[in-house]
Amino acid sequence: IACFIFGVPANLLSLIYFTRDRFQTVELPTCLYTITALQDTVISLLSLKHGITLLRRRVDVFKGFCPVHHVLFRMSQRMSVFLVATLSMTRTYSLVYPLRMVSTKSVLKLLALVCFLMTCYFVVPASAGIMHISYHFNDGYCWAEPIAGN
């Protein structure tokens, strides 16, 4: 609940800061900070389900949302780490090669490719019937399990 209460407003504030008056020039760090703030806002929103579930003594109040929540939350966690790593790598590249520019389009294409591959990784097994995503009462969250015989 605290992640939702503090995370959503703080990340929305940073999102407003990074997008305000910045659409004229698209610089790579600004793009990465904006995407990171958006990603962290999504994580903060998704964490509300965990908080409400635990407050209700692990009774899942969002029935039917479990597969979508599982995929979005797992992807969001990984994308957040990947965005920070990308920002660190582009900063390091700029320090090592100060006269070379890092292509914003190339980095954004890489992010889109990674997002697409992660979507395939999480969605295809569940859609193909290889994995089953369900709510686990003992753990208090949704989890993916292989279907027997696959």
Side-chain angles (χ1 to χ4, degrees):
I1 300 288
C3 182
F4 175 77
I5 291 171
F6 296 112
V8 172
N11 283 304
L12 287 177
L13 185 63
S14 65
L15 192 61
I16 290 168
Y17 173 78
F18 287 120
T19 57
R20 150 188 77 112
D21 300 329
R22 310 249 180 185
F23 289 112
Q24 291 82 14
T25 59
V26 180
E27 297 174 355
L28 182 60
T30 304
C31 284
L32 291 175
Y33 285 131
T34 303
I35 295 169
T36 302
L38 184 64
Q39 185 65 50
D40 288 346
T41 303
V42 169
I43 290 173
S44 297
L45 288 169
L46 290 171
S47 69
L48 180 64
K49 179 187 183 307
H50 295 294
I52 291 173
T53 300
L54 292 175
L55 285 175
R56 302 223 357 138
R57 297 190 176 134
R58 298 183 185 196
V59 174
D60 189 17
V61 293
F62 300 104
K63 296 184 187 327
F65 185 60
C66 203
V68 173
H69 182 269
H70 175 76
V71 169
L72 288 176
F73 196 76
R74 301 281 299 230
M75 279 183 58
S76 296
Q77 290 174 323
R78 285 159 176 77
M79 278 305 290
S80 183
V81 172
F82 186 74
L83 285 166
V84 172
T86 303
L87 185 62
S88 297
M89 286 186 284
T90 57
R91 289 288 191 189
T92 302
Y93 184 84
S94 297
L95 291 172
V96 173
Y97 302 107
L99 300 177
R100 293 186 185 169
M101 294 258 320
V102 178
S103 171
T104 302
K105 283 186 178 181
S106 298
V107 173
L108 293 179
K109 285 179 184 177
L110 174 68
L111 290 175
L113 177 65
V114 168
C115 187
F116 173 75
L117 291 174
M118 266 198 259
T119 303
C120 291
Y121 177 78
F122 285 111
V123 173
V124 169
S127 299
I130 299 170
M131 300 291 284
H132 176 68
I133 301 172
S134 61
Y135 178 74
H136 289 252
F137 182 80
N138 291 338
D139 299 326
Y141 55 86
C142 303
W143 197 250
E145 299 175 312
I147 294 176
N150 288 327

